[in-house]
Structures are given as structure tokens and as C-alpha cells.
Amino acid sequence: MKTFSATPADIEKKWILIDAEGVVLGRLASIVAMRLRGKHKPSFTPHMDMGDNVIIINADKVQLTGKKRDDKNYYWHTGHPGGIKSRTARQIIEGAYPERVVTQAIKRMLPGNRLSRQLMTNLRVYAGAEHPHEAQNPEVLDVKSMNSKNTRS
């Protein structure tokens, strides 16, 4: 039996809509990373962009378990000596771009190579409930009902 390897002609992409309101961040990120990579498909090929296009709405209403909202720090460096900076998850979520917490969590669950940077272009994250992708007729994926641990009240 020969091993199946997908070609660009074999790839069929869908659009998926996920509502992140009340969903635990890590569980949401792992599900979305799997969908972006295409590992949920039986024809998965590791070196191809097999995944679906994912739209996430209400990213500002995502939940963090425990005290992570105050204790989890996001670090970056300015490039200058002594230029390390940090912000807590609460500061980012309550700031101007709350969708960055979700984007970073998903990005860090993908492998760190050129393919993952290409996969990240298939992700659209919006802080509010509106999105400009109605023309693509996205299928709604209910992450809340997949597992009772996916939500936090």
C-alpha cells in the first residue's frame, strides 16, 4: 500500500466561525491550531497547508483559568540594551487590541517554521461580534459543546 501525499489540487478548504465568548483560552487555541494545520482531516499531509480558514469572534470575552489573567506575563524586547518589556494578560485584554492574546496562544501552538507563518494567514481574530466574512458562508463550530471543560463561567 502506498502512502498518500496530498497535492495542491487535492486540498479543499472550508471557512469556520468560532465564538470565543466564555471559552478557556488554551483549549480554544489547541482546537484552532489543529484546524489551521489540517490535522482533523484524514488526508493530512505534514508539509502542505491543508487547514481551514478560521474566524474567531468575541476574542475579548475569552476566559483564563486560575489567576492567569493577572499573573500571566507577555514579554518582548525592543532591541535596545535593557529593553525587555512585559504586560499582563489583563492589561492586553482590557487594552486596545484584546485579540492579540488569542492570536499569540494559537501561534505558539503551531510549529515555528515557514509553514506555520503561512498557516497564520488563514486565521482572522476579531474582538467584537461582527466580522466581514459573511460572503464566505462560514460553518459554525461550537467549541463550548465539545467538552464541558471548554467553558468557564
Side-chain angles (χ1 to χ4, degrees):
M1 188 168 171
K2 299 247 182 196
T3 302
F4 175 76
S5 184
T7 61
D10 299 332
I11 297 172
E12 185 179 325
K13 290 180 166 279
K14 292 192 288 188
W15 284 80
I16 295 172
L17 177 68
I18 298 175
D19 187 2
E21 185 174 358
V23 179
V24 176
L25 177 64
R27 289 177 170 269
L28 172 72
S30 64
I31 291 167
V32 172
M34 183 185 67
R35 290 280 174 165
L36 283 174
R37 188 93 199 274
K39 291 189 119 181
H40 63 288
K41 296 181 180 180
S43 61
F44 171 68
T45 305
H47 66 278
M48 298 293 292
D49 180 5
M50 302 275 309
D52 298 330
N53 292 292
V54 180
I55 305 162
I56 300 175
I57 57 172
N58 293 322
D60 56 340
K61 296 179 182 134
V62 74
Q63 296 293 316
L64 281 86
T65 58
K67 295 194 288 183
K68 288 186 198 130
R69 195 171 284 266
D70 294 314
D71 293 348
K72 184 174 178 60
N73 286 314
Y74 290 89
Y75 295 98
W76 72 96
H77 199 284
T78 62
H80 295 285
I84 193 157
K85 297 191 174 207
S86 69
R87 285 213 176 108
T88 63
R90 180 180 298 283
Q91 289 173 323
I92 296 173
I93 290 172
E94 292 174 356
Y97 303 102
E99 61 273 3
R100 287 185 183 169
V101 172
V102 176
T103 306
Q104 278 295 331
I106 295 166
K107 181 180 179 182
R108 290 172 179 174
M109 286 193 182
L110 292 171
N113 55 21
R114 281 175 285 180
L115 180 61
S116 69
R117 290 190 289 277
Q118 182 184 348
L119 295 175
M120 284 300 288
T121 62
N122 297 331
L123 175 68
R124 281 101 175 155
V125 184
Y126 300 101
E130 290 84 31
H131 64 89
H133 305 288
E134 288 299 326
Q136 282 74 28
N137 296 323
E139 296 178 15
V140 176
L141 181 67
D142 192 12
V143 177
K144 292 178 185 176
S145 66
M146 289 176 146
N147 190 336
S148 62
K149 294 179 181 178
N150 288 356
T151 59
R152 192 53 69 119
S153 54

